Amino acid sequence: MPRVHKPSSPSAGPRGFALLVQAKPDADGVVDEKVLTELQAAYGDASASFSGKDELTFDEFCALFARPPTAGADGGGDTMTMACRDETAQFSPHRINRRAVGDVDVRIQVTHASICHSDMHTAKSEWPGTKYPCIPGHEIVGIVTEVGPKVTKFKVGDRAGVGCMVNSLCGGRSCTHCKAGNEQYCEKGMVGTYGGVDLDGSTTYGGYSTAIVVVEDFVLHIPDGMPLEGAAPLLCAGITTFSPLVHYGLNQPGMTIGVVGLGGLGAHATRIAKAMGCKVTAISTSPGKEAEVREKLGADDFILSSSPESLAEHAKTLDGIIDTVSAQHELGPLLDLLKTGGKLVMLGASPLPPTLPIFSLLFRRLTIGGSLIGGIAETQEMLDFCAKHSIILPYETIPASYINKAYERMLKNDVKYRFVIDIQGTLIA
């Protein structure tokens, strides 16, 4: 088994260094030959060989994974990205420069980034404020390759993630909400991972890229043993469903929780609520979903919301409902499913306001609330919880060149339950 010498500066070969970390060398730098062979087959140059070598310099290790830069890129800079230029949301390679690592910054070599529906809404300018070129991605994982001199929470070689925000505009997390660990509700506004404006006035670009630089307070540790590509969807879909379950007290063992909408958010809500000890009732307009949610997600019960009989049978049986549907829909039938004192939490962003059956709220003390992702500390708590309970949803790994096709399939709900872009294998700076 070959021994690989560590580089004097990982930043000189960040992709190779990230792959070396994933090869899991022991304390002496020895790498399992089978692991190295599998990594090279997935991410390297098949014509290069380490056969018969007991020692490899870092440059020799990197040569095993040499691939030409992604062709056809416009722009200029040290980071290769996939960007769209207008609301047609057609992605192609584009180069940018990431900022130099500052005192409290962490530079991450991105290994994988998963695709959230928010990415598509933003790229197509369906939500206000899209700036082009648009480089989405706020479910980002990778390996730390450089840290600033005042960084204390991360070191080079750590497995790291970045979610939906990369800073808060109050500066130094100084406002009431940031101090309470709710940076997403910063009084001056959070800085979104893409399409936001950072404290220095620069536009933020997301994880469809080979590297990202983020202040350490907004970087997450990916737990050991959790696959990087599987962890990526948790950084939006996971925390978006974990946080309201905790905040609204819907995480008590034995509670019966309904989940409306069974895409990425609904699937995560189902698995997380089950791990919390709740009984989960999936709610869908499609009868074909029942077998899927019972067998793949572990749902305990199923309500066909297009059936008056099914709705009547389950009236007043739920302690809470997590509603992930972003299209306009009636809330009355859902409220009828809640026990007195029950809570309906809205996570989907419908462009049109719902009709509220006020008398149901008054006479049964029902609560309708909302929730937006989660704070950094809570996101770390969620990651640790999901690692403990082995919560990784099914996903489909795709090359960067497939993003346009993935968006087309998402419009048809043709994905279970996330597309994960293989950045380190298919997007080369």
Side-chain angles (χ1 to χ4, degrees):
M1 293 189 288
R3 175 174 177 264
V4 182
H5 294 268
K6 292 182 179 180
S8 57
S9 174
S11 60
R15 179 172 178 270
F17 177 75
L19 287 162
L20 178 58
V21 170
Q22 292 167 82
K24 298 180 180 179
D26 66 16
D28 296 320
V30 176
V31 175
D32 183 275
E33 188 168 335
K34 181 181 178 182
V35 171
L36 183 54
T37 299
E38 291 174 351
L39 268 180
Q40 187 185 11
Y43 301 114
D45 177 3
S47 66
S49 174
F50 61 88
S51 178
K53 294 183 179 180
D54 295 326
E55 302 271 340
L56 288 173
T57 67
F58 179 65
D59 286 343
E60 288 174 327
F61 177 86
C62 289
L64 298 176
F65 297 93
R67 286 185 174 176
T70 300
D74 58 9
D78 59 7
T79 302
M80 186 69 74
T81 77
M82 292 295 285
C84 66
R85 282 75 175 174
D86 56 40
E87 63 275 6
T88 61
Q90 293 298 299
F91 286 85
S92 60
H94 175 69
R95 283 188 175 274
I96 62 169
N97 269 316
R98 292 295 190 184
R99 70 172 183 261
V101 172
D103 285 349
V104 293
D105 283 339
V106 173
R107 185 179 180 97
I108 299 167
Q109 183 71 16
V110 178
T111 62
H112 301 83
S114 49
I115 301 177
C116 175
H117 268 84
S118 299
D119 298 353
M120 185 166 62
H121 290 307
T122 302
K124 290 178 172 292
S125 197
E126 293 172 348
W127 291 349
T130 301
K131 302 170 185 175
Y132 298 103
C134 175
I135 303 168
H138 57 206
E139 298 176 342
I140 308 163
V141 293
I143 305 297
V144 175
T145 59
E146 188 178 355
V147 298
K150 295 183 180 179
V151 168
T152 60
K153 301 175 184 177
F154 291 86
K155 64 182 184 302
V156 168
D158 281 350
R159 291 152 39 96
V162 178
C164 299
M165 52 187 170
V166 292
N167 215 333
S168 56
L169 291 175
C170 66
R173 302 165 87 190
S174 60
C175 77
T176 301
H177 296 306
C178 288
K179 287 179 180 178
N182 292 312
E183 297 91 346
Q184 74 274 32
Y185 302 124
C186 176
E187 291 173 4
K188 293 190 176 180
M190 71 171 184
V191 179
T193 302
Y194 58 85
V197 178
D198 214 334
L199 289 171
D200 62 1
S202 63
T203 297
T204 58
Y205 297 116
Y208 298 6
S209 61
T210 53
I212 191 167
V213 178
V214 182
V215 294
E216 68 166 334
D217 285 343
F218 286 81
V219 181
L220 290 309
H221 286 278
I222 303 300
D224 291 339
M226 178 176 276
L228 286 170
E229 62 271 32
L234 296 172
L235 294 167
C236 177
I239 186 57
T240 296
T241 52
F242 179 91
S243 182
L245 286 166
V246 173
H247 176 79
Y248 288 97
L250 301 177
N251 59 340
Q252 304 306 307
M255 279 187 164
T256 302
I257 306 300
V259 176
V260 187
L262 300 171
L265 284 180
H268 282 85
T270 300
R271 287 288 305 279
I272 290 171
K274 284 287 294 181
M276 290 172 169
C278 301
K279 297 178 181 178
V280 177
T281 297
I283 304 170
S284 175
T285 59
S286 172
K289 290 279 189 178
E290 182 170 5
E292 175 190 330
V293 297
R294 287 184 184 273
E295 295 168 9
K296 292 186 177 181
L297 302 178
D300 300 284
D301 202 355
F302 182 83
I303 297 174
L304 183 62
S305 57
S306 57
S307 165
E309 293 78 15
S310 183
L311 290 169
E313 178 186 350
H314 293 85
K316 300 179 181 179
T317 61
L318 305 180
D319 295 288
I321 296 175
I322 301 296
D323 186 346
T324 70
V325 175
S326 58
Q328 188 181 31
H329 56 290
E330 292 294 326
L331 300 185
L334 298 179
L335 294 174
D336 290 342
L337 298 172
L338 290 171
K339 299 175 183 177
T340 297
K343 300 168 183 177
L344 170 62
V345 185
M346 309 295 293
L347 302 183
S350 171
L352 297 173
T355 300
L356 293 181
I358 298 299
F359 279 95
S360 292
L361 302 181
L362 297 177
F363 281 86
R364 295 179 44 232
R365 190 178 274 177
L366 302 180
T367 298
I368 298 178
S371 185
L372 178 69
I373 55 172
I376 296 300
E378 189 175 39
T379 304
Q380 188 65 60
E381 178 187 352
M382 176 275 304
L383 286 169
D384 296 340
F385 177 90
C386 289
K388 178 181 178 180
H389 294 278
S390 301
I391 297 176
I392 295 291
L393 271 290
Y395 57 88
E396 181 177 339
T397 304
I398 63 170
S401 60
Y402 193 81
I403 293 173
N404 294 330
K405 182 64 176 178
Y407 275 36
E408 292 176 11
R409 287 178 55 190
M410 287 167 66
L411 289 171
K412 301 174 184 176
N413 295 318
D414 179 21
V415 58
K416 296 287 184 293
Y417 289 93
R418 269 297 196 262
F419 288 114
V420 177
I421 308 167
D422 174 15
I423 298 291
Q424 69 179 356
T426 63
L427 193 63
I428 312 298

